[in-house]
């Protein structure tokens, strides 16, 4: 049966609400933007196929469902292509050889350099910390929302975020006292 | 008082996050790739609708035969 305009509108609302966080999660796990985009598309294709079941669920359960799909796809991608090792080796190489140039024309060279240091430090975080940090910063989720998505208590998420920040502060010679 | 080092880390993390976000154009391409095209309305739908409405209005407002006979 062809989709209705209502289906498309419902899907778009779900997509808009969750895609940044799912992408941040995938990027945190895979460290590969292209693969993360592919898996984001696959994740939401499954959302589309199960839209009638998913649409009535409350936001937190939708999020948990979507992240379960994304997590399974990420695990499958490790199994199939051993992409994780290759991507991480490549990223470590990139981090060592070419500093990331991020924002715009007005960025001071010193800030860009600090940003490159931060990027390298984040790549060296343990995966569980990197994923959570990515979801919190690039994905814009709260600790509670990350906990709901990953099936972990919010306190555990806050602790890991704090550990990640301490490691980053140490790597950048900053103090990060609350 | 705000700790300057903490502010520095927050500022760096915000810039890092901004650079890592999926660009809106990429997100829109993905969204459009997932949703199959919704079938378009046929070109004649408006004239058909008008025709049906006109017929319905004519029927509803026509004077019934017996009433017409009584008037004559």
């Amino acid at each position: 049966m062809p989709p209705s305009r209502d289906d498309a509108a419902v899907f778009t609302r779900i997509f808009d609400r969750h895609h940044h966080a799912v992408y941040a999660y995938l990027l945190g796990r895979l460290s590969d933007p292209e693969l993360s985009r592919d898996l984001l598309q696959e994740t939401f294709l499954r959302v589309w196929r199960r839209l009638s079941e998913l649409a009535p669920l409350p936001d937190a359960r939708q999020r948990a469902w979507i992240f379960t799909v994304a997590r399974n796809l990420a695990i499958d991608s490790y199994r199939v292509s051993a992409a994780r090792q290759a991507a991480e080796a490549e990223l470590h190489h990139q981090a060592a050889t070419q500093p990331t140039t991020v924002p715009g024309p007005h960025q001071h060279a010193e800030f860009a350099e600090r940003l490159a240091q931060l990027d390298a430090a984040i790549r060296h975080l343990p995966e569980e910390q990197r994923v959570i940090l990515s979801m919190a910063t690039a994905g814009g989720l709260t600790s509670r929302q990350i906990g709901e998505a990953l099936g972990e208590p919010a306190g555990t998420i806050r602790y890991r975020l704090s550990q990640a920040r301490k490691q980053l502060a140490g790597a950048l010679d900053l103090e990060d006292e609350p | 008082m705000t700790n300057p080092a903490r502010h520095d880390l927050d500022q760096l993390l915000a810039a890092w996050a901004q650079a890592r976000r999926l660009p809106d154009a990429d997100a829109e391409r993905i969204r459009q790739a997932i949703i199959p095209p919704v079938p378009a309305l046929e070109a004649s739908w408006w004239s058909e609708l008008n025709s049906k409405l006109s017929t319905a209005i004519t029927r509803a407002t026509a004077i019934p035969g017996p009433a017409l006979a009584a008037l004559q």
Side-chain angles (χ1 to χ4, degrees):
Chain A
M1 203 167 85
S4 71
R5 288 174 198 280
D6 284 349
D7 289 341
V10 169
F11 173 81
T12 298
R13 274 200 295 278
I14 295 175
F15 183 83
D16 287 347
R17 195 178 306 143
H18 298 293
H19 80 266
H20 275 307
V22 176
Y23 180 74
Y25 166 78
L26 290 167
L27 193 58
R29 281 201 76 158
L30 304 166
S31 298
D32 179 338
E34 192 176 344
L35 182 57
S36 299
R37 277 195 293 270
D38 287 348
L39 295 190
L40 178 72
Q41 182 165 335
E42 182 59 34
T43 301
F44 278 95
L45 187 59
R46 294 180 188 205
V47 169
W48 172 256
R49 288 176 182 151
R50 304 286 290 274
L51 190 62
S52 60
E53 297 163 53
L54 199 56
L57 298 180
D59 194 57
R61 288 190 61 198
Q62 276 182 2
R63 184 181 294 112
W65 191 97
I66 292 168
F67 275 89
T68 300
V69 171
R71 182 164 56 240
N72 289 340
L73 288 171
I75 291 167
D76 287 350
S77 82
Y78 290 160
R79 289 190 189 127
V80 170
S81 65
R84 183 185 191 183
Q85 290 87 342
E88 293 212 338
E90 172 63 17
L91 288 165
H92 286 160
H93 174 71
Q94 284 178 9
T97 55
Q98 47 177 234
T100 308
T101 52
V102 193
H106 306 299
Q107 197 80 58
H108 293 132
E110 191 183 338
F111 187 74
E113 190 180 327
R114 296 291 279 163
L115 207 47
Q117 289 171 354
L118 174 71
D119 192 54
I122 289 172
R123 290 173 198 278
H124 285 91
L125 286 176
E127 184 184 287
E128 62 180 20
Q129 290 180 15
R130 192 174 64 236
V131 167
I132 290 170
L133 185 79
S134 181
M135 291 172 79
T137 55
L141 295 185
T142 64
S143 297
R144 184 179 60 78
Q145 290 170 328
I146 296 170
E148 286 168 356
L150 303 182
E152 305 257 15
T156 304
I157 304 299
R158 278 193 291 275
Y159 175 75
R160 287 187 188 151
L161 268 176
S162 151
Q163 293 298 105
R165 290 182 61 103
K166 273 186 192 153
Q167 285 212 38
L168 295 177
L172 297 172
D173 291 327
L174 299 169
E175 294 293 326
D176 185 42
E177 295 302 324
Chain B
M1 200 173 89
T2 308
N3 179 334
R6 184 183 178 83
H7 175 72
D8 192 19
L9 182 58
D10 286 341
Q11 194 181 14
L12 283 168
L13 279 171
W16 179 85
Q18 187 60 35
R20 287 289 171 276
R21 280 169 74 87
L22 183 67
D24 288 345
D26 288 1
E28 182 55 20
R29 263 194 297 278
I30 289 171
R31 193 189 68 81
Q32 286 183 1
I34 293 168
I35 301 180
V38 176
L41 294 169
E42 298 205 8
S44 58
W45 78 273
W46 178 244
S47 60
E48 284 171 11
L49 177 68
N50 268 334
S51 165
K52 284 177 186 168
L53 276 174
S54 301
T55 306
I57 291 168
T58 305
R59 281 189 187 145
T61 56
I63 302 171
L68 197 59
L71 286 174
Q72 289 172 345

